[in-house]
């Protein structure tokens, strides 16, 4: 079945460091891919999305490119800030089965 | 603010009891999803309704049930509560049924503590 696998956490970085959180997926069709972010004490918020191969989603300095050949959607940011400390979830929407699948989440802590 | 409203925000109850969590989706959204988030199991999909009908079922226990009403709000009923049911329960909504690749929007969650 469809699934999402993302890198284990927690991840701790210093401010202004480069961030990569890996996400790979398995899907039988042509899914849409998402990154959601959960700040402490809050619900999940959409960070960015991509709906087809080679699309790049971007928001708040974060980017992710839909790579069909490697079935990946890695999240990157060039220079993280303390305010980016949160849990990040990779997800896919299966067009055929009407379901969303979430990864296990990666906790990021950015220290000054 | 995602536009998805969940009540109550916090709830403490005893084992064996029954509770109801309520969700109002974003205006215009027809799908409602319920998720459970716990420390040891991450984000678990429970169930989805689309325009009043059950559309997909995930890891929902038999002690749990849900429904979506004609006005599209949804309720998640949790009965015979156990300590392990303590978790954050999220509701989310989307315009379509989920099969269109669209975005889902989450509420802020209902914290359930079973003592």
């Amino acid at each position: 079945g469809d699934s999402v696998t993302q890198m284990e956490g927690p991840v701790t970085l210093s401010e202004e460091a480069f961030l990569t959180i890996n996400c790979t997926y398995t899907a039988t069709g042509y899914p849409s891919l998402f990154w959601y972010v959960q700040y402490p004490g809050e619900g999940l918020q959409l960070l960015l999305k991509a709906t087809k191969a080679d699309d790049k989603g971007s928001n708040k300095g974060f980017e992710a490119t839909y790579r069909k050949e490697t079935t990946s959607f890695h999240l990157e940011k060039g220079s993280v800030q303390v305010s980016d400390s949160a849990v990040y979830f990779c997800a896919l929407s299966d067009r055929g089965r009407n379901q969303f699948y979430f990864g296990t989440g990666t906790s990021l802590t950015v220290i000054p | 603010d995602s536009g998805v409203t969940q009540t109550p925000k916090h709830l403490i109850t005893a084992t064996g009891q029954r509770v109801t969590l309520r969700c109002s989706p974003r205006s215009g959204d027809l799908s409602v999803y319920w998720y459970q988030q716990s420390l040891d199991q991450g984000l678990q999909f429970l169930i989805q309704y689309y325009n009043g009908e059950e559309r997909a079922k995930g890891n929902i226990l038999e002690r749990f049930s849900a429904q979506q009403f004609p006005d599209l709000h949804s309720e998640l009923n949790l009965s015979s509560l156990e300590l392990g049911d303590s978790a954050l329960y999220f509701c989310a909504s989307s315009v379509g049924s989920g099969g269109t690749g669209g975005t889902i929007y989450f509420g802020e969650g209902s914290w359930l503590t079973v003592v």
Side-chain angles (χ1 to χ4, degrees):
Chain A
D2 293 4
S3 66
V4 174
T5 302
Q6 61 181 105
M7 67 184 284
E8 299 272 336
V11 174
T12 302
L13 294 174
S14 297
E15 208 165 20
E16 299 183 2
F18 184 86
L19 168 71
T20 299
I21 300 178
N22 291 336
C23 172
T24 57
Y25 68 90
T26 301
T28 52
Y30 300 94
S32 292
L33 301 173
F34 306 81
W35 277 101
Y36 283 81
V37 58
Q38 184 180 25
Y39 297 105
E42 299 184 13
L44 279 72
Q45 305 173 22
L46 177 66
L47 180 60
L48 54 84
K49 64 184 277 190
T51 58
K52 61 183 188 297
D54 299 326
D55 268 3
K56 177 186 283 189
S58 61
N59 185 25
K60 299 181 181 179
F62 291 89
E63 293 183 340
T65 301
Y66 189 143
R67 301 281 188 203
K68 190 167 181 289
E69 63 276 13
T70 54
T71 61
S72 65
F73 193 57
H74 304 323
L75 182 68
E76 296 182 337
K77 186 173 186 181
S79 175
V80 293
Q81 305 300 312
V82 172
S83 57
D84 294 326
S85 298
V87 180
Y88 293 82
F89 291 88
C90 185
L92 74 81
S93 170
D94 180 339
R95 298 172 195 273
R97 299 191 179 146
N98 302 315
Q99 285 203 32
F100 282 82
Y101 299 87
F102 283 85
T104 53
T106 301
S107 175
L108 169 67
T109 300
V110 180
I111 54 177
Chain B
D1 182 4
S2 68
V4 179
T5 304
Q6 289 187 248
T7 57
K9 291 197 184 324
H10 299 275
L11 189 57
I12 301 175
T13 190
T15 55
Q17 295 298 304
R18 172 189 170 98
V19 299
T20 298
L21 309 180
R22 181 187 170 99
C23 170
S24 294
R26 293 188 325 150
S27 177
D29 284 0
L30 299 179
S31 268
V32 169
Y33 308 76
W34 286 98
Y35 288 85
Q36 178 193 57
Q37 186 178 39
S38 59
L39 285 176
D40 57 343
Q41 293 198 346
L43 193 65
Q44 299 284 321
F45 168 68
L46 297 178
I47 198 164
Q48 178 202 357
Y49 281 83
Y50 176 73
N51 204 20
E53 294 190 1
E54 183 182 304
R55 180 57 66 101
K57 212 166 191 175
N59 301 322
I60 188 165
L61 300 173
E62 285 191 11
R63 300 183 285 110
F64 296 179
S65 64
Q67 55 183 325
Q68 186 180 28
F69 295 87
D71 67 352
L72 300 177
H73 91 271
S74 177
E75 292 181 356
L76 178 67
N77 300 296
L78 314 175
S79 62
S80 303
L81 286 167
E82 302 174 358
L83 295 178
D85 297 328
S86 297
L88 184 56
Y89 291 84
F90 284 112
C91 172
S93 73
S94 67
V95 171
S97 60
T100 56
T103 303
I104 61 173
Y105 296 89
F106 283 79
E108 294 189 351
S110 292
W111 275 104
L112 173 66
T113 302
V114 182
V115 297

